[in-house]
Amino acid sequence: MLNIAEVKAQCFDFAANEAVRIPAPVELQIRHYIESHDGINLKIFAGQYQYVPVFNVINHSRRQFTDGVYLFTWGSHDSGRLFINRKGKIVILRNGSVADIMTDYTSFLKQHQLPEATQVRYLSAVAAFVQFRYKDQQMLIKSGALMELK
């Protein structure tokens, strides 16, 4: 029988104090991803990079960076990006579409042997994010901040 832990990923209204402290190499990978894939220049202000918060999607109250599903966001009109940390290596899931996210998640599972309960917990977090992202984009379209997607 499958033992499934509760996933608290239904709410993506993270408070700033819920951000997870991440290792410098992970932070650099995220910054590189944002600059190369999103075309956003993360400028240095007063000798420091612009803050990019990272949140634990499965357990909001856990601030320690461990294996799991995380979200980072670079701005108010960005729904965020999911990434999976597995033994210190991160895999950032594309979020251009539901198919992109699911393809990347499936690819991750093929490359990493995880217990079935962990796979289900991660999938629940991914599904909750997809629902959040869809609603967020619909609100942005309605407000005129984003053109309708096809």
Side-chain angles (χ1 to χ4, degrees), residues 18-84:
E18 292 180 321
V20 174
R21 188 169 188 82
I22 58 173
V26 171
E27 183 179 2
L28 289 174
Q29 288 178 27
I30 290 171
R31 289 184 185 289
H32 176 72
Y33 183 90
I34 293 169
E35 289 178 348
S36 63
H37 288 86
D38 295 335
I40 304 299
N41 184 9
L42 296 175
K43 301 174 186 166
I44 297 177
F45 294 105
Q48 294 192 353
Y49 282 105
Q50 177 180 338
Y51 178 61
V52 177
V54 171
F55 303 99
N56 186 325
V57 174
I58 294 174
N59 185 344
H60 292 205
S61 63
R62 176 174 256 167
R63 304 291 183 281
Q64 184 178 8
F65 189 68
T66 59
D67 286 359
V69 180
Y70 294 85
L71 172 105
F72 67 85
T73 182
W74 50 258
S76 60
H77 293 296
D78 177 42
S79 301
R81 302 283 186 284
L82 288 183
F83 71 93
I84 301 172

Side-chain angles (χ1 to χ4, degrees), residues 117-148:
T118 301
Q119 292 179 38
V120 171
R121 193 170 59 248
Y122 286 13
L123 179 59
S124 294
V126 170
F129 173 76
V130 168
Q131 290 177 340
F132 160 77
R133 183 179 168 278
Y134 175 78
K135 290 176 184 173
D136 187 53
Q137 287 189 335
Q138 293 304 307
M139 285 179 23
L140 290 172
I141 290 167
K142 190 173 182 178
S143 72
L146 181 66
M147 294 187 61
E148 189 158 1

Side-chain angles (χ1 to χ4, degrees), residues 86-150:
R86 174 87 170 138
K87 297 182 180 180
K89 305 230 187 271
I90 68 168
V91 174
I92 299 173
L93 307 181
R94 295 172 295 154
N95 73 346
S97 68
V98 173
D100 286 345
I101 294 172
M102 295 311 299
T103 298
D104 289 353
Y105 180 65
T106 302
S107 177
F108 170 82
L109 290 179
K110 288 178 182 176
Q111 295 173 17
H112 300 88
Q113 296 297 317
L114 298 175
E116 193 167 327
T118 301
Q119 292 179 38
V120 171
R121 193 170 59 248
Y122 286 13
L123 179 59
S124 294
V126 170
F129 173 76
V130 168
Q131 290 177 340
F132 160 77
R133 183 179 168 278
Y134 175 78
K135 290 176 184 173
D136 187 53
Q137 287 189 335
Q138 293 304 307
M139 285 179 23
L140 290 172
I141 290 167
K142 190 173 182 178
S143 72
L146 181 66
M147 294 187 61
E148 189 158 1
L149 304 173
K150 295 186 184 199

